[in-house]
Short mmCIF file of all heavy atoms in Angstrom, two decimals:
data_model
loop_
_atom_site.label_atom_id
_atom_site.label_comp_id
_atom_site.label_asym_id
_atom_site.label_seq_id
_atom_site.Cartn_x
_atom_site.Cartn_y
_atom_site.Cartn_z
N THR A 129 109.94 106.50 96.45
CA THR A 129 110.20 107.27 95.28
C THR A 129 108.98 107.92 94.78
O THR A 129 108.96 109.04 94.41
CB THR A 129 110.89 106.36 94.20
OG1 THR A 129 112.12 105.77 94.65
CG2 THR A 129 111.20 107.13 92.91
N VAL A 130 107.88 107.15 94.59
CA VAL A 130 106.64 107.65 94.18
C VAL A 130 106.14 108.77 95.09
O VAL A 130 105.74 109.82 94.67
CB VAL A 130 105.55 106.64 93.97
CG1 VAL A 130 104.20 107.18 93.58
CG2 VAL A 130 106.05 105.58 93.06
N ALA A 131 106.18 108.50 96.40
CA ALA A 131 105.69 109.51 97.35
C ALA A 131 106.45 110.87 97.32
O ALA A 131 105.83 111.90 97.38
CB ALA A 131 105.75 108.96 98.76
N ARG A 132 107.83 110.71 97.20
CA ARG A 132 108.60 111.86 97.08
C ARG A 132 108.38 112.69 95.79
O ARG A 132 108.38 113.98 95.80
CB ARG A 132 110.07 111.56 97.14
CG ARG A 132 110.57 111.22 98.57
CD ARG A 132 112.10 111.22 98.71
NE ARG A 132 112.61 110.21 97.73
CZ ARG A 132 112.89 109.02 98.05
NH1 ARG A 132 112.76 108.54 99.27
NH2 ARG A 132 113.44 108.12 97.13
N GLU A 133 108.08 111.93 94.68
CA GLU A 133 107.77 112.67 93.42
C GLU A 133 106.50 113.42 93.35
O GLU A 133 106.36 114.39 92.66
CB GLU A 133 107.83 111.66 92.27
CG GLU A 133 109.21 111.14 91.95
CD GLU A 133 110.07 112.01 91.13
OE1 GLU A 133 109.44 112.83 90.36
OE2 GLU A 133 111.24 112.14 91.36
N PHE A 134 105.55 112.95 94.14
CA PHE A 134 104.16 113.54 94.08
C PHE A 134 103.66 113.78 95.57
O PHE A 134 102.82 113.22 96.14
CB PHE A 134 103.25 112.66 93.48
CG PHE A 134 103.63 112.28 92.03
CD1 PHE A 134 104.33 111.09 91.83
CD2 PHE A 134 103.43 113.09 91.04
CE1 PHE A 134 104.73 110.73 90.58
CE2 PHE A 134 103.81 112.76 89.75
CZ PHE A 134 104.43 111.58 89.55
N PRO A 135 104.39 114.80 96.28
CA PRO A 135 104.09 115.02 97.73
C PRO A 135 102.70 115.55 97.96
O PRO A 135 102.21 115.34 99.08
CB PRO A 135 105.14 116.05 98.18
CG PRO A 135 105.50 116.80 96.85
CD PRO A 135 105.40 115.64 95.77
N ASP A 136 101.99 116.11 96.89
CA ASP A 136 100.69 116.60 97.11
C ASP A 136 99.58 115.58 96.72
O ASP A 136 98.46 115.94 96.72
CB ASP A 136 100.52 117.89 96.32
CG ASP A 136 100.57 117.68 94.78
OD1 ASP A 136 101.27 116.65 94.47
OD2 ASP A 136 100.06 118.38 94.03
N LEU A 137 100.00 114.36 96.43
CA LEU A 137 99.01 113.39 95.89
C LEU A 137 98.95 112.14 96.86
O LEU A 137 100.05 111.52 97.06
CB LEU A 137 99.40 112.90 94.52
CG LEU A 137 98.52 111.99 93.75
CD1 LEU A 137 97.10 112.65 93.52
CD2 LEU A 137 99.18 111.55 92.46
N PRO A 138 97.77 111.89 97.45
CA PRO A 138 97.60 110.69 98.27
C PRO A 138 98.06 109.40 97.55
O PRO A 138 97.62 109.23 96.38
CB PRO A 138 96.20 110.69 98.71
CG PRO A 138 95.75 112.10 98.62
CD PRO A 138 96.56 112.67 97.37
N VAL A 139 98.80 108.56 98.14
CA VAL A 139 99.27 107.32 97.55
C VAL A 139 98.74 106.15 98.32
O VAL A 139 98.82 106.08 99.58
CB VAL A 139 100.80 107.24 97.45
CG1 VAL A 139 101.32 105.86 96.95
CG2 VAL A 139 101.38 108.35 96.54
N ILE A 140 98.09 105.15 97.65
CA ILE A 140 97.63 103.95 98.28
C ILE A 140 98.39 102.81 97.70
O ILE A 140 98.46 102.54 96.50
CB ILE A 140 96.16 103.79 97.95
CG1 ILE A 140 95.31 105.02 98.52
CG2 ILE A 140 95.63 102.52 98.63
CD1 ILE A 140 93.86 105.07 97.95
N ALA A 141 99.04 102.04 98.49
CA ALA A 141 99.72 100.81 98.09
C ALA A 141 98.74 99.69 97.82
O ALA A 141 97.66 99.66 98.45
CB ALA A 141 100.67 100.29 99.18
N TYR A 142 98.98 98.95 96.76
CA TYR A 142 98.05 97.90 96.35
C TYR A 142 98.76 96.54 96.52
O TYR A 142 99.63 96.28 95.78
CB TYR A 142 97.69 98.16 94.89
CG TYR A 142 96.78 97.10 94.22
CD1 TYR A 142 96.09 96.21 94.96
CD2 TYR A 142 96.58 97.17 92.90
CE1 TYR A 142 95.19 95.23 94.29
CE2 TYR A 142 95.73 96.25 92.17
CZ TYR A 142 95.11 95.24 92.97
OH TYR A 142 94.29 94.43 92.35
N ASN A 143 98.32 95.84 97.47
CA ASN A 143 98.98 94.55 97.86
C ASN A 143 98.13 93.39 97.30
O ASN A 143 97.02 93.21 97.80
CB ASN A 143 99.07 94.50 99.41
CG ASN A 143 99.93 93.25 99.86
OD1 ASN A 143 100.81 92.93 99.20
ND2 ASN A 143 99.54 92.67 100.92
N VAL A 144 98.54 92.71 96.33
CA VAL A 144 97.96 91.67 95.69
C VAL A 144 98.86 90.53 95.44
O VAL A 144 99.28 90.19 94.26
CB VAL A 144 97.09 92.15 94.48
CG1 VAL A 144 98.00 92.80 93.40
CG2 VAL A 144 96.44 91.00 93.77
N PRO A 145 99.34 89.74 96.41
CA PRO A 145 100.41 88.85 96.30
C PRO A 145 100.07 87.71 95.34
O PRO A 145 101.01 87.03 94.74
CB PRO A 145 100.58 88.29 97.70
CG PRO A 145 99.48 88.71 98.51
CD PRO A 145 98.91 89.93 97.86
N SER A 146 98.87 87.38 95.14
CA SER A 146 98.42 86.30 94.20
C SER A 146 98.82 86.56 92.71
O SER A 146 98.93 85.68 91.98
CB SER A 146 96.94 85.94 94.35
OG SER A 146 96.13 86.98 93.83
N ARG A 147 98.90 87.86 92.51
CA ARG A 147 99.29 88.20 91.12
C ARG A 147 100.71 88.83 91.03
O ARG A 147 101.34 88.64 89.96
CB ARG A 147 98.29 89.34 90.61
CG ARG A 147 96.97 88.88 90.29
CD ARG A 147 96.02 89.92 89.73
NE ARG A 147 94.65 89.47 89.46
CZ ARG A 147 94.25 89.17 88.18
NH1 ARG A 147 95.08 89.16 87.12
NH2 ARG A 147 92.98 88.79 88.00
N THR A 148 101.29 89.24 92.09
CA THR A 148 102.59 89.90 92.04
C THR A 148 103.73 89.04 92.64
O THR A 148 104.88 89.36 92.41
CB THR A 148 102.58 91.22 92.68
OG1 THR A 148 102.41 91.08 94.14
CG2 THR A 148 101.51 92.17 92.21
N ALA A 149 103.36 88.01 93.39
CA ALA A 149 104.36 87.07 94.05
C ALA A 149 105.13 87.84 95.10
O ALA A 149 106.28 87.40 95.58
CB ALA A 149 105.27 86.47 93.00
N VAL A 150 104.65 88.97 95.58
CA VAL A 150 105.32 89.69 96.76
C VAL A 150 104.21 90.24 97.60
O VAL A 150 103.21 90.66 97.11
CB VAL A 150 106.24 90.74 96.15
CG1 VAL A 150 105.54 91.91 95.46
CG2 VAL A 150 107.04 91.35 97.27
N ASP A 151 104.49 90.25 98.90
CA ASP A 151 103.59 90.68 99.95
C ASP A 151 104.15 91.87 100.68
O ASP A 151 105.31 91.79 101.18
CB ASP A 151 103.23 89.49 100.88
CG ASP A 151 101.99 89.75 101.62
OD1 ASP A 151 101.23 90.66 101.45
OD2 ASP A 151 101.72 88.79 102.54
N ILE A 152 103.41 92.93 100.87
CA ILE A 152 103.92 94.04 101.61
C ILE A 152 103.66 93.75 103.07
O ILE A 152 102.55 93.56 103.45
CB ILE A 152 103.13 95.38 101.25
CG1 ILE A 152 103.17 95.66 99.78
CG2 ILE A 152 103.80 96.55 102.09
CD1 ILE A 152 102.35 96.95 99.41
N ALA A 153 104.71 93.67 103.74
CA ALA A 153 104.55 93.32 105.26
C ALA A 153 104.02 94.47 106.00
O ALA A 153 104.18 95.64 105.62
CB ALA A 153 105.96 93.10 105.84
N PRO A 154 103.20 94.20 107.02
CA PRO A 154 102.57 95.23 107.87
C PRO A 154 103.61 96.21 108.26
O PRO A 154 103.36 97.48 108.36
CB PRO A 154 101.86 94.48 108.97
CG PRO A 154 101.57 93.13 108.45
CD PRO A 154 102.66 92.86 107.51
N GLU A 155 104.81 95.70 108.70
CA GLU A 155 105.83 96.60 109.25
C GLU A 155 106.34 97.51 108.12
O GLU A 155 106.75 98.72 108.41
CB GLU A 155 107.11 95.79 109.68
CG GLU A 155 106.69 94.97 111.01
CD GLU A 155 105.86 93.75 110.69
OE1 GLU A 155 105.69 93.39 109.52
OE2 GLU A 155 105.32 93.19 111.65
N THR A 156 106.28 97.13 106.84
CA THR A 156 106.73 98.05 105.84
C THR A 156 105.67 99.13 105.53
O THR A 156 106.01 100.25 105.21
CB THR A 156 106.98 97.24 104.46
OG1 THR A 156 107.91 96.23 104.71
CG2 THR A 156 107.38 98.04 103.30
N VAL A 157 104.44 98.72 105.66
CA VAL A 157 103.32 99.68 105.58
C VAL A 157 103.55 100.79 106.68
O VAL A 157 103.41 102.04 106.40
CB VAL A 157 101.97 99.08 105.64
CG1 VAL A 157 100.90 100.18 105.63
CG2 VAL A 157 101.68 98.10 104.48
N ALA A 158 103.80 100.22 107.80
CA ALA A 158 103.97 101.20 108.93
C ALA A 158 105.23 102.09 108.77
O ALA A 158 105.11 103.33 108.97
CB ALA A 158 104.22 100.42 110.27
N ARG A 159 106.29 101.63 108.19
CA ARG A 159 107.46 102.42 107.92
C ARG A 159 107.22 103.38 106.87
O ARG A 159 107.61 104.54 106.97
CB ARG A 159 108.58 101.48 107.42
CG ARG A 159 109.93 102.08 107.28
CD ARG A 159 110.89 101.03 106.84
NE ARG A 159 112.17 101.60 106.47
CZ ARG A 159 113.13 101.08 105.70
NH1 ARG A 159 112.89 99.87 105.30
NH2 ARG A 159 114.24 101.64 105.34
N LEU A 160 106.50 103.06 105.73
CA LEU A 160 106.15 103.94 104.74
C LEU A 160 105.22 105.13 105.31
O LEU A 160 105.37 106.32 104.98
CB LEU A 160 105.47 103.30 103.65
CG LEU A 160 106.34 102.44 102.70
CD1 LEU A 160 105.49 101.47 101.90
CD2 LEU A 160 107.21 103.30 101.78
N ARG A 161 104.27 104.76 106.06
CA ARG A 161 103.33 105.77 106.74
C ARG A 161 104.14 106.73 107.49
O ARG A 161 103.83 107.95 107.55
CB ARG A 161 102.27 105.14 107.50
CG ARG A 161 101.26 104.24 106.72
CD ARG A 161 100.04 105.02 106.40
NE ARG A 161 99.29 105.23 107.54
CZ ARG A 161 98.67 106.37 107.92
NH1 ARG A 161 98.81 107.43 107.08
NH2 ARG A 161 97.96 106.62 108.89
N LYS A 162 105.02 106.26 108.24
CA LYS A 162 105.89 107.13 109.12
C LYS A 162 106.76 108.06 108.31
O LYS A 162 106.92 109.18 108.67
CB LYS A 162 106.70 106.29 110.05
CG LYS A 162 107.50 107.12 111.14
CD LYS A 162 108.20 106.25 112.09
CE LYS A 162 108.97 107.08 113.12
NZ LYS A 162 109.64 106.12 114.14
N ALA A 163 107.33 107.56 107.25
CA ALA A 163 108.28 108.38 106.39
C ALA A 163 107.54 109.29 105.43
O ALA A 163 108.25 110.37 105.06
CB ALA A 163 109.10 107.34 105.64
N HIS A 164 106.30 109.07 105.06
CA HIS A 164 105.67 109.85 104.01
C HIS A 164 104.29 110.19 104.42
O HIS A 164 103.37 109.26 104.49
CB HIS A 164 105.69 109.15 102.65
CG HIS A 164 107.08 108.77 102.23
ND1 HIS A 164 108.04 109.67 101.77
CD2 HIS A 164 107.64 107.49 102.26
CE1 HIS A 164 109.12 108.92 101.48
NE2 HIS A 164 108.96 107.67 101.80
N ASP A 165 103.98 111.44 104.65
CA ASP A 165 102.55 111.83 105.08
C ASP A 165 101.51 111.48 103.88
O ASP A 165 100.38 111.25 104.17
CB ASP A 165 102.51 113.32 105.31
CG ASP A 165 103.26 113.73 106.56
OD1 ASP A 165 103.49 112.79 107.38
OD2 ASP A 165 103.52 114.95 106.67
N ASN A 166 102.03 111.42 102.73
CA ASN A 166 101.03 111.17 101.59
C ASN A 166 100.84 109.74 101.24
O ASN A 166 100.01 109.44 100.38
CB ASN A 166 101.45 112.00 100.33
CG ASN A 166 102.76 111.60 99.76
OD1 ASN A 166 103.69 111.30 100.52
ND2 ASN A 166 102.93 111.59 98.53
#
Side-chain angles (χ1 to χ4, degrees):
T129 299
V130 176
R132 284 194 300 267
E133 286 286 324
F134 304 97
D136 62 335
L137 186 61
V139 173
I140 300 166
Y142 177 14
N143 189 33
V144 53
S146 66
R147 288 186 181 258
T148 64
V150 64
D151 197 5
I152 307 175
E155 292 77 13
T156 301
V157 176
R159 187 179 171 200
L160 286 165
R161 292 266 291 137
K162 185 175 181 180
H164 306 285
D165 289 342
N166 60 323

